Amino acid sequence: MSQSEKSRGTEEYAKTHMEESRHLPIYQHRDELIQAVRKNTFLIVTGETGSGKTTQLPQYLYKADLCRHGGIGITQPRRVAAITVAQRVSQEMGVRLGKEVGYQVRFDDCSTKDTVIKYMTDGCMLREILADPSLTQFSIVILDEAHERSLNTDVLLGLLKKTQSKGSHGRKTTLKVIVMSATLETEKLSSFYGNCPVFTIPGRTYPVKEKFCNLIGPKDKDSSVYVKEVVKMALDVHTNEVTGDILVFLTGQSEIEKACDLLFNKAEVLDYRYDVHDRAVEGLLILPLYGSMPTDQQRQIFQPAPKGVRKCVVATNIAATSLTINGIRYIVDSGLVKQLNHNSSVGLDILEVVPISKSEAKQRAGRAGRTSAGKCFRIYNKEFWETCMPEYTIPEIQRTSLTSVILTLKCLGVHDVIRFPYLDCPEERFILTALKQLYQYDAIDRRGEVTKLGRLMVEFPLPPNLTRTLIKAATLGCEDIMLPVAAMLSVENIFIRPGKSEAQKEAEIRHKEIAACAGSSNDFLLLLSVFEKCKASDNPSSWCKDHWIHWRAVKSAFSVETQLREILYRLKQQKDFPHETFVGSRSELLRQCLCLGYFTNVARRSVGKSFCTMDGHGSTVLIHPASCLFGQELQLDWIIFHDVLVTSRVYVRTVCPIRYEWVKDLLPKLHEIDVYELSSVAREEVTDAEMAQWDKKEAAKRQAEAAEDTAKKLEKRNNESSITEARARYLERKQNRLQRKDT
Ligand code: CDP
Ligand code: MG
């Protein structure tokens, strides 16, 4: 295609999209909306999902010349949404993605300094504030999908309230803040921002018939059960209902891929190495949709199916509000969602499958009524609805670990992390746990001040344990080992584990081979081997296929590694970057570095093959069968682990054996600091005098402990005798008085 033909193609594309966008509900209200933004510093915009908020409003504001001082930053809780929406808007405007319209998500920045409309994940916006607290590069910040109440969005809501009210850093507050949300909780948001106006875009929806299909009940939590039922239901809809596309709500990537396989093969499990996507089966086009999906596949979701073919999108909750797919008339709802929750019995955040809330179920059903009347098939029964599903979804900030967020807040100078303006306060104990962890990682000191190490840690878009490990490795000059490991742990699913038994065996053998020939005596080292072997191979994708490894995941790990390396390189340029030396083997080096980040996840072998965690919870855990250490438990004593899987038992995955000496000095840190002290460092009212008092108290306590037992006894006896003497003197005086009275 010649250049001019190409540009004509783009122009036509833009024209069609422009035509389409005129039919969106938001179009009627664009002038009023622009006026409202001009007039207000804070504005809430709500409207049905699909009314055009995310794609249209930034364009209106741009065209109305409202971003003269800087661009428009629009946050999304999910990376797929940020990417696909940016693609769409660049097409609508007829510009190249990454120029006027761009996106920025973790480990992938597709924007330049000329980018005016920038879609970004809320995590990236948080990093932006960290680099520049008054957000000078933006005229307008739009917090989109606020009803999702993601952890980072909640923190941004508070931060923007704080910066705006203070007009911080001497900047005159020209920055405008727009919060967009589906129709939930608008009053609460408005009162949070001093009763700012709420702009409601009247929706256009059609009735949706909701039906309980009674295929699963409260006890059916096993994925093999609900995946199968969802597939059956979808096939049922396909055979019995008139035209219209199907949207299936499932839990996560692996379940979605399983369901797509089943749908394709109608209950015969396929060989996983086939690329299952994008194949039409008897008039059914099966399309998976999940957060970590590769960009080229995302685009197909929005394209209409060919004539006579029905589209069936199998998606995570992402399709509930973040992305609107046109043409959907049927919903198949599993009633479940994968959610990160803090598990207090294990003391860790765990990704688990839980029932959705009733309000979420209504939102899912509503997706069927966008273009005409629709139907929603709930695979669960009424009992499930009544007993398992809460009314509303609890915001993430109230159910997950706050460690990274609290460090970010501290680095931004928010000392009082307990009375920070949260839309919904997290429980104080969660904040205290986060502070405790940061203290354990040496990211903050006893006074709650960020340390030099903490300032290095906040630069990495990784959880604190990985960051701590990485920095330690860099200090020892061996980041080449840790960078790939950190990258591999940041992407999803490296190993293909097929369900079918022969395939499963073959995969296991292949994985063991890699482990054996690399001498991989632990799972972290195995990840490093996969990374290095794949990188060194002439044809990495076929190497992955041969070894039952997800090439896509490894490919993104390559890119993550490069980016982490860049951050580290920049930090190492600093004069005061710490340096230490180490003598020992590569494997030992890796294991010792890991201890610095994972001493919170230490376990010691107890009875038989089970281990006992050392974090104060003393939970009993088992090594997961997928670990390369499975079966060798009896030869192990101390281990660290990356994550936990809770079924009827608690399993640890990605495991590494360590020596007690390496964690001996670190373990006391798990119990050292007390909650009272922490809750006070979390509040602003702590004065230096109070702090000095604690220091004194602490010193006195230590002194007392150090004193000899005998000395204590002696002191006690002295005390006792002095009390006896005083008592005697008192009695004597009393006696005298009585005698005087008598005479
Ligand atoms: O934000 P809101 O839910 O109000 O709507 P939107 O995301 O701006 O979507 C407006 C329209 O654009 C919908 O009809 C979507 O289907 C369409 N869209 C699309 O076709 N492709 C995308 N990548 C994003 C949106
Ligand atoms: Mg939207």
Side-chain angles (χ1 to χ4, degrees), residues 49-50 52-55 76 144-145 180 321-324:
T49 304
K53 301 182 294 298
T54 308
T55 53
Q76 299 290 318
D144 200 0
E145 308 289 326
M180 296 206 290
T321 56
S322 283
L323 296 174
T324 306

Side-chain angles (χ1 to χ4, degrees), residues 24 48-55 84-85 88 302 321 324-326 370:
L24 291 170
E48 269 293 322
T49 304
S51 52
K53 301 182 294 298
T54 308
T55 53
T84 49
V85 170
R88 167 76 181 199
F302 297 96
T321 56
T324 306
I325 306 153
N326 294 332
R370 282 255 311 126

Side-chain angles (χ1 to χ4, degrees), residues 448-581:
E449 305 280 354
V450 184
T451 61
K452 217 190 280 172
L453 183 65
R455 295 214 177 267
L456 292 176
M457 282 174 69
V458 84
E459 296 284 332
F460 289 92
L462 293 173
N465 51 2
L466 273 181
T467 313
R468 182 74 187 91
T469 308
L470 193 53
I471 292 175
K472 179 69 182 177
T475 309
L476 293 165
C478 66
E479 61 268 32
D480 286 349
I481 309 177
M482 251 336 278
L483 279 167
V485 175
M488 292 289 259
L489 289 170
S490 306
V491 296
E492 242 187 299
N493 261 356
I494 296 287
F495 299 101
I496 302 174
R497 300 190 206 284
K500 209 157 94 183
S501 62
E502 302 122 62
Q504 195 178 350
K505 269 198 201 109
E506 199 203 315
E508 268 172 29
I509 293 170
R510 287 314 204 140
H511 295 160
K512 287 226 169 85
E513 266 171 24
I514 312 174
C517 83
S520 309
S521 47
N522 69 68
D523 295 312
F524 294 88
L525 208 56
L526 178 60
L527 288 175
L528 178 63
S529 308
V530 172
F531 186 96
E532 289 178 338
K533 280 193 181 315
C534 189
K535 192 135 218 187
S537 140
D538 293 333
N539 188 344
S541 76
S542 80
W543 184 89
C544 285
K545 204 165 158 188
D546 290 344
H547 292 85
W548 296 79
I549 304 281
H550 282 291
W551 161 235
R552 281 204 308 260
V554 180
K555 197 160 88 179
S556 47
F558 285 169
S559 134
V560 171
E561 197 254 1
T562 312
Q563 290 170 66
L564 290 175
R565 192 178 286 277
E566 276 162 20
I567 299 174
L568 198 57
Y569 178 77
R570 182 163 51 77
L571 296 179
K572 281 188 103 171
Q573 303 298 306
Q574 294 177 4
K575 272 201 302 297
D576 52 353
F577 193 88
H579 286 286
E580 291 169 39
T581 47

